[in-house]
Amino acid sequence: MRITVNGKHKQITDPTSIAALFEMVGVNPEQVVAEHNGTILAPQQYRETILREGDTIELIQFVGGG
Amino acid sequence: MDLLQIANRTFRSRLMVGTGKFSSHQAMLDAMEHSGCEIVTVALRRVDINNPQDSLLSHIDRERYLLLPNTSGARTAEEAIRLARIARAAGCEPWIKLEVTPDPYYLLPDPIETLKATEILAKEGFIVLPYMPADPVLAKRLEEAGAATVMPLGAPIGTNRGLLTRDLIAIIIEQARIPVVVDAGLGAPSHAAEAMEMGAAAVLVNTALADTPDPAAMARAFSKGVEAGREAYLAGLGPKRLQASASSPLTGFLRNES
């Protein structure tokens, strides 16, 4: 199954939750915000949200900036 | 005590610091410490999924500093609003430094998109601090739209050129009923002092600290500049004149007056 994470295509084995995707990518869920097909997810949705073919995920975090 | 009030919060420091472009997290933290700042700006970006890094937040003491996320990178009101909502979802207080800069060369703020985003975000309950061109009419429009401050630019971001917009900022300060925070382009403590002498409520600097060999020392210098400027403003500057006005007595010279 193919999804897009931060603009890059990624092959995953289904079914994969957002929480599992965090682990796969090596991201600390407490340090990022996730958008699933343009909708911001609350942390309690990470386990229950299962990715589907063609889904778009954005993982966003704070960086230095003025 | 002379406090800065923005929305429902008060601050002792009138110097805000941006966290971008420092050579290391330690250099950034040292600059924050020595600046005495209480508000720091941060940006939001995609995680590099090939090489995830620790979030900047793991380095910043959020009990001590109010995090002011910016919407840098946004080219439209819509993109800025999306970033603001992401910042809030990240657990930040709903304070947002609104930046809408479609022009990649001068990073000048888009007045129309900035006003549009301010209206929407203020209605959603955000404390909106919009970065704006030094336009007094726009400043009033942003105030009416619910902005908590206005943040006119002194010069384009990161240019260190000082208060190129001085006369327009003076009008903005004269007319504003919300704090005026001069943002962008201030490159020297004297620039910050000048803005504060004019009655700016605060200033924000980033490049002026980050892009120097000793950010901590420069942060101290800026802190003094801001304090000096503020005290001078409160004391009231003396009037300007064209002709000389002698400081020493004009009598008793060591010569015979004819």
Side-chain angles (χ1 to χ4, degrees):
Chain A
M1 180 168 75
R2 200 158 88 139
I3 60 167
T4 305
V5 184
N6 286 4
K8 293 196 170 74
H9 295 304
K10 204 166 175 62
Q11 286 291 340
I12 56 168
T13 52
D14 42 342
T16 298
S17 67
I18 295 280
L21 178 71
F22 280 137
E23 256 178 64
M24 203 185 304
V25 177
V27 166
N28 179 350
E30 288 173 9
Q31 296 192 349
V32 300
V33 173
E35 269 186 354
H36 178 225
N37 296 332
T39 304
I40 297 171
L41 295 177
Q44 55 269 29
Q45 295 175 290
Y46 293 163
R47 289 211 172 278
E48 69 200 36
T49 305
I50 304 298
L51 294 164
R52 293 174 196 285
E53 172 73 28
D55 275 2
T56 301
I57 304 295
E58 289 285 341
L59 303 178
I60 304 127
Q61 70 178 1
F62 285 111
V63 298
Chain B
M1 195 179 185
D2 175 43
L3 295 173
L4 167 65
Q5 176 153 12
I6 300 175
N8 55 346
R9 306 247 326 220
T10 53
F11 305 91
R12 288 182 307 279
S13 170
R14 292 175 180 273
L15 175 58
M16 305 179 188
V17 168
T19 57
K21 297 197 280 199
F22 285 92
S23 58
S24 66
H25 288 318
Q26 196 54 52
M28 172 193 81
L29 292 171
D30 289 345
M32 284 160 55
E33 167 84 34
H34 286 265
S35 72
C37 73
E38 295 165 283
I39 300 177
V40 294
T41 60
V42 291
L44 284 161
R45 290 292 182 272
R46 276 178 167 169
V47 174
D48 178 358
I49 58 166
N50 295 320
N51 182 24
Q53 303 284 322
D54 253 3
S55 163
L56 182 77
L57 294 202
S58 52
H59 301 276
I60 296 176
D61 178 0
R62 292 173 66 184
E63 298 287 306
R64 177 166 174 191
Y65 299 104
L66 173 68
L67 222 53
L68 179 59
N70 69 32
T71 64
S72 64
R75 294 160 302 179
T76 62
E78 197 184 347
E79 289 178 6
I81 291 164
R82 179 181 175 199
L83 285 163
R85 290 172 182 160
I86 290 169
R88 185 158 62 177
C92 288
E93 292 192 50
W95 285 53
I96 195 79
K97 183 190 166 202
L98 178 63
E99 292 183 41
V100 188
T101 57
D103 153 44
Y105 300 105
Y106 293 96
L107 295 173
L108 294 172
D110 182 320
I112 295 161
E113 296 295 307
T114 301
L115 179 59
K116 218 188 287 179
T118 298
E119 280 168 353
I120 293 168
L121 290 171
K123 280 194 189 123
E124 287 186 17
F126 280 92
I127 308 296
V128 187
L129 293 77
Y131 172 57
M132 59 171 289
D135 175 345
V137 178
L138 177 64
K140 289 311 281 183
R141 293 292 299 267
L142 290 168
E143 185 178 310
E144 287 159 17
T149 67
V150 284
M151 303 184 85
L153 62 93
I157 293 172
T159 58
N160 287 341
R161 296 178 68 198
L163 280 180
L164 302 186
T165 57
R166 183 192 159 91
D167 291 355
L168 291 166
I169 287 181
I171 298 172
I172 293 173
I173 291 170
E174 180 195 323
Q175 298 183 337
R177 282 173 301 173
I178 52 178
V180 177
V181 181
V182 177
D183 177 22
L186 303 183
S190 57
H191 300 155
E194 186 181 3
M196 297 306 295
E197 283 167 10
M198 287 165 58
V203 300
L204 192 156
V205 292
N206 188 160
T207 302
L209 307 184
D211 195 11
T212 55
D214 190 343
M218 189 55 77
R220 276 198 306 278
F222 263 91
S223 169
K224 289 173 184 165
V226 167
E227 275 179 35
R230 178 66 185 173
E231 278 197 40
Y233 169 73
L234 292 176
L237 296 170
K240 286 186 180 174
R241 299 182 179 84
L242 281 175
Q243 284 199 338
S245 166
S247 308
S248 310
L250 292 173
T251 54
F253 294 128
L254 309 188
R255 63 172 180 260
N256 296 326
E257 300 293 339
S258 57

